Amino acid sequence: MKKALLSIVSFVFVFAFAITAVFVFGDNSAQKIDRQEEISSDAATTTAENRTIQTKLKRWGYYTGNVDGIYGSLTREAVRYFQRKNGLAVDGIVGPKTAAALGMTLSSGSSSSSSLSSSDLNLLARCVYAEARGESYVGQVAIAAVVLNRVESPSFPNTIAGVIYQPYAFTAVNDGQINLTPNSTAYKAAQDALNGWDPTYGAIYYYNPATATSSWIWSRQTTVTIGNHVFAV
């Protein structure tokens, strides 16, 4: 009788352990699969491209997370939302068709994009320093953001250099201050703007009301005033 009772207790113990193992290890396996899927969805794009994707989706109201260049679950869901709204295949991956709908071209490798990014950062920092070195830090980021907003706008050139050197677009280019050496603050402000910070709320124009003489610029819709500059669309 004791042996039979012992056998039953042993059986119950083994069965309970097996059930627990299924739930515990099965759940971990599911987490690993989810994580692997998340990594796979990131494989098609670089960190810089992920930031661009996040910036665009955030500007258009699809994404609410941080612009950190990490293609996590929140970014993937924002991409899926964008795909549904735009009649694209809903897979959460930014392939050629989704990239085209976002207005961007995916790079074939990271080395060329890294060189371009360094050149863009330097020129953008020079523009920030020349145009806004007397402004607050937010005011400096705002100038860089306007340049980037123009790059994204169909009304302006689609490169940072094209926007900055567009004839009569920036006073700093006309008077030569664009060639001054930027300080570390200007570089940091330019980088923050490249990372997606836009304190202007999408502005593509800015002006100093104390010195502006164009009646046209005063007619633009104001988005925010930061320091000595009024930002507008």
Side-chain angles (χ1 to χ4, degrees):
M1 181 68 181
K2 289 183 178 180
K3 288 183 178 181
L5 183 60
L6 182 61
S7 297
I8 292 171
V9 171
S10 299
F11 175 78
V12 170
F13 175 78
V14 171
F15 180 77
F17 177 80
I19 294 296
T20 302
V22 168
F23 280 103
V24 172
F25 294 108
D27 184 63
N28 287 342
S29 298
Q31 290 177 0
K32 289 178 181 178
I33 291 172
D34 288 344
R35 177 58 182 156
Q36 185 59 46
E37 288 175 352
E38 183 172 312
I39 293 171
S40 298
S41 69
D42 185 28
T45 50
T46 66
T47 300
E49 287 168 340
N50 290 340
R51 287 197 186 100
T52 300
I53 292 165
Q54 290 170 332
T55 299
K56 287 174 176 286
L57 293 176
K58 191 163 190 171
R59 184 179 299 153
W60 299 335
Y62 293 95
Y63 177 65
T64 58
N66 295 324
V67 178
D68 53 15
I70 300 172
Y71 203 113
S73 58
L74 195 60
T75 303
R76 187 171 61 251
E77 286 308 309
V79 169
R80 290 171 62 86
Y81 181 21
F82 174 79
Q83 289 169 331
R84 281 194 299 270
K85 287 287 188 179
N86 289 274
L88 300 163
V90 182
D91 56 11
I93 298 173
V94 180
K97 289 185 178 179
T98 299
L102 286 166
M104 60 184 292
T105 302
L106 300 179
S107 65
S108 57
S110 59
S111 57
S112 60
S113 115
S114 174
S115 172
L116 177 64
S117 175
S118 174
S119 173
D120 283 347
L121 175 61
N122 181 58
L123 180 56
L124 191 58
R126 281 162 50 194
C127 183
V128 168
Y129 185 74
E131 290 278 320
R133 59 185 178 274
E135 297 294 317
S136 67
Y137 183 70
V138 175
Q140 293 183 49
V141 175
I143 298 301
V146 167
V147 173
L148 298 179
N149 290 339
R150 288 189 178 188
V151 171
E152 298 297 329
S153 169
S155 301
F156 295 90
N158 61 1
T159 65
I160 289 175
V163 165
I164 291 176
Y165 287 111
Q166 188 175 25
Y168 309 108
F170 292 92
T171 303
V173 174
N174 297 336
D175 63 18
Q177 292 191 62
I178 191 68
N179 298 312
L180 296 174
T181 301
N183 58 18
S184 59
T185 302
Y187 273 107
K188 188 172 184 300
Q191 186 63 67
D192 275 343
L194 285 167
N195 288 346
W197 184 11
D198 181 6
T200 75
Y201 304 102
I204 53 177
Y205 303 104
Y206 66 89
Y207 61 94
N208 185 335
T211 58
T213 57
S214 169
S215 58
W216 176 85
I217 194 65
W218 286 83
S219 70
R220 309 304 299 184
Q221 180 182 346
T222 299
T223 60
V224 68
T225 298
I226 303 173
N228 293 314
H229 289 131
V230 175
F231 294 85
V233 292

